[in-house]
């Protein structure tokens, strides 16, 4: 399929009621997020990332971390952190991506309160090894892509060389396409990103159209690009024609057979109706453009 549609990850958390909600407050939210992605027409769905925040989902399960503090050497979780939700998604859809919050983004959200780490860079590497085990578990479960979310890389706060090493640690442990999602402007780090051992770079292009321009004289080195064609930061639901124009601009830069179509970022902060409408219109626009290549 050309121009496959996907999501960056999160969907609004719609919790259920009754006994099942007492046993698992997010059970209904996962099922709702999965069903809404499928109803919208998404080709490669996620589990919805509805549990807690993108940092807390992992820090709450990794030994060595308590609340927002690192208290000892970080180790892999005893069992899969996101595996159960991904397993459910795979009962509903053929193609599901597994999603990890990146080691650098997690490490920079924590306070180091142990002599086990001399600096934050050492922490990033240990978190990468812990997340590599999660990536392997997701791959065994049947995920078709492992996505690593590293929003911090474009801010200049995190050491890019350490971040790259950490991404490589995860990527080498799975025999699947690895996607790196990075938010924000990429001009300062694009050369670093293109050297990473990932199959897909996922970028913001709806609200950061300048990200497209920096690729005009760059060699992708075999990578595909996930093009954000719907604004996640804006609650307005864009017209299909506007999304179509964004997709066509991405095609002008990367070619129709080298891109995936998705929102700029997650949609957790939207209403369920708004998130569905954005995904549905994105899929409709992608279908219109696909028709031009048949």
């Amino acid at each position: 399929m050309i121009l496959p549609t996907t999501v960056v990850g999160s969907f609004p958390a719609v919790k259920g009621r009754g006994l099942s909600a007492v046993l698992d407050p997010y059970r209904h939210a996962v099922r709702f997020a999965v069903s809404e992605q499928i109803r919208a027409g998404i080709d490669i769905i996620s589990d919805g990332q509805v549990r807690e925040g993108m940092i807390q989902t992992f820090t709450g399960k990794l030994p060595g971390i308590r609340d927002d503090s690192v208290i000892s050497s970080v180790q892999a979780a005893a069992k899969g952190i996101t595996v159960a939700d991904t397993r459910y998604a795979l009962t509903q859809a053929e193609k599901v991506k597994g999603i990890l919050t990146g080691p650098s983004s997690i490490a920079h959200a924590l306070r180091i309160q142990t002599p086990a780490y001399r600096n934050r860079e050492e922490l990033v590497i240990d978190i990468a090894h812990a997340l590599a085990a999660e990536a392997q578990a997701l791959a065994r479960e049947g995920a078709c892509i492992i996505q690593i979310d590293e929003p911090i890389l474009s801010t200049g706060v995190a050491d890019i060389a350490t971040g790259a090493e950490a991404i490589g640690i995860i990527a080498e442990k799975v025999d699947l396409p690895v996607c790196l999602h990075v938010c924000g402007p990429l001009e300062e780090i694009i050369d670093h990103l293109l050297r990473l051992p990932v199959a897909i770079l996922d970028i913001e292009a709806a609200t950061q159209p300048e990200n497209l321009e920096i690729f005009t004289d760059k060699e992708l080195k075999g990578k595909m690009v996930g093009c954000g064609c719907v604004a996640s930061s804006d609650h307005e639901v864009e017209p299909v024609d506007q999304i179509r124009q964004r997709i066509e601009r991405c095609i002008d830069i990367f070619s129709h057979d080298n891109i995936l179509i998705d929102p700029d970022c997650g949609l957790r902060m939207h209403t369920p109706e708004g998130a569905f409408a954005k995904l549905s219109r994105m899929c409709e626009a992608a279908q219109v453009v696909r028709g031009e290549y048949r």
Side-chain angles (χ1 to χ4, degrees):
M1 174 187 292
I2 63 169
L3 305 175
T5 56
T6 186
V7 291
V8 172
S10 65
F11 197 83
V14 179
K15 296 182 182 180
R17 299 177 181 177
L19 179 60
S20 63
V22 174
L23 298 174
D24 181 355
Y26 292 98
R27 182 177 184 273
H28 179 267
V30 172
R31 282 153 175 73
F32 180 78
V34 166
S35 67
E36 289 295 88
Q37 291 174 74
I38 294 170
R39 186 166 73 96
I42 296 295
D43 298 309
I44 305 170
I45 70 166
S46 76
D47 65 6
Q49 286 189 299
V50 295
R51 295 181 185 273
E52 303 156 330
M54 63 181 293
I55 302 294
Q56 292 77 15
T57 292
F58 294 94
T59 58
K61 299 292 192 301
L62 293 177
I65 301 173
R66 180 188 299 155
D67 299 325
D68 64 349
S69 298
V70 183
I71 58 172
S72 63
S73 296
V74 175
Q75 306 293 323
K79 62 179 183 178
I81 298 171
T82 62
V83 169
D85 291 342
T86 300
R87 181 184 301 131
Y88 170 76
L90 281 161
T91 68
Q92 305 299 304
E94 180 181 354
K95 294 183 178 181
V96 179
K97 61 167 60 172
I99 303 177
L100 309 173
T101 302
S104 294
S105 294
I106 291 177
H108 282 268
L110 300 171
R111 295 181 296 165
I112 299 176
Q113 296 189 320
T114 171
Y117 297 106
R118 294 171 297 176
N119 53 56
R120 201 164 297 275
E121 286 69 38
E122 291 181 346
L123 174 61
V124 170
I125 297 305
D126 268 7
I127 292 174
H129 285 291
L131 293 178
E134 178 75 4
Q136 289 176 308
L138 289 167
R140 288 193 297 269
E141 202 62 43
C144 65
I145 294 171
I146 300 297
Q147 178 176 299
I148 304 171
D149 291 342
E150 280 288 28
I152 201 169
L153 290 186
S154 66
T155 66
V157 172
D159 179 70
I160 190 71
T162 304
E165 181 182 353
I167 291 164
I169 288 169
I170 298 171
E172 72 177 3
K173 293 296 185 180
V174 292
D175 189 22
L176 284 178
V178 173
C179 171
L180 175 67
H181 171 71
V182 184
C183 302
L186 304 181
E187 184 174 8
E188 297 299 320
I189 61 169
I190 185 60
D191 291 329
H192 294 282
L193 298 182
L194 289 172
R195 288 195 292 268
L196 291 173
V198 298
I200 305 164
L201 286 178
D202 191 80
I203 67 172
E204 290 185 313
T207 54
Q208 299 276 345
E210 59 273 18
N211 279 341
L212 296 177
E213 306 308 320
I214 64 176
F215 282 93
T216 54
D217 62 347
K218 301 293 182 182
E219 171 58 51
L220 286 177
K221 302 177 182 178
K223 292 176 172 56
M224 296 186 71
V225 179
C227 293
C229 293
V230 170
S232 301
S233 58
D234 187 348
H235 287 272
E236 179 184 356
V237 179
E238 300 99 314
V240 169
D241 193 58
Q242 182 179 12
I243 303 170
R244 176 191 61 78
Q245 291 176 31
R246 290 172 178 166
I247 294 173
E248 290 178 343
R249 179 56 181 151
C250 293
I251 290 173
D252 289 342
I253 300 292
F254 303 115
S255 173
H256 70 278
D257 57 357
N258 203 47
I259 62 175
L260 297 85
I261 306 302
D262 59 8
D264 269 353
C265 202
L267 298 174
R268 185 185 182 98
M269 302 309 294
H270 292 258
T271 65
E273 297 79 11
F276 172 80
K278 279 182 173 284
L279 294 181
S280 180
R281 288 194 184 177
M282 182 185 78
C283 291
E284 184 178 347
Q287 188 64 21
V288 170
V289 179
R290 282 186 197 126
E292 301 173 8
Y293 294 92
R294 288 175 180 161

